[in-house]
Amino acid sequence: MLFGFFDDDNREYDYNRLRKDLENEYAIQSATFSGGFGFCEMLDVKRASNAELLKMAKREGFNLNRYKR
């Protein structure tokens, strides 16, 4: 039962698209105003878990409904 819950959660969002959009967001931030910090954040996105991706997206003000399946 518990494992099924996590499986459903993993299918709830399109994490590949969210990861790509976060990478783009941090790349733009790196190029425009944050410099190295945005670049480091972009690298963090590449190795982030799904839960971490959701936290990053919320922090950046992403509308997570756009990524629901």
Side-chain angles (χ1 to χ4, degrees), residues 12-57:
E12 185 177 358
Y13 295 98
D14 183 350
Y15 289 102
N16 291 330
R17 192 168 64 116
L18 180 58
R19 187 179 306 276
K20 182 179 175 186
D21 287 353
L22 277 168
E23 286 175 350
N24 289 337
E25 173 68 22
Y26 289 131
I28 291 168
Q29 287 182 18
S30 175
T32 57
F33 62 89
S34 69
F37 181 72
F39 183 75
C40 290
E41 290 288 323
M42 186 176 66
L43 295 177
D44 288 343
V45 169
K46 291 183 184 287
R47 61 179 177 253
S49 69
N50 291 344
E52 291 170 330
L53 286 176
L54 291 175
K55 288 179 187 176
M56 291 174 164

Side-chain angles (χ1 to χ4, degrees), residues 57-68:
K58 288 177 185 176
R59 185 177 65 220
E60 293 302 322
F62 278 38
N63 179 359
L64 293 177
N65 289 327
R66 290 182 50 207
Y67 299 94
K68 285 198 173 197

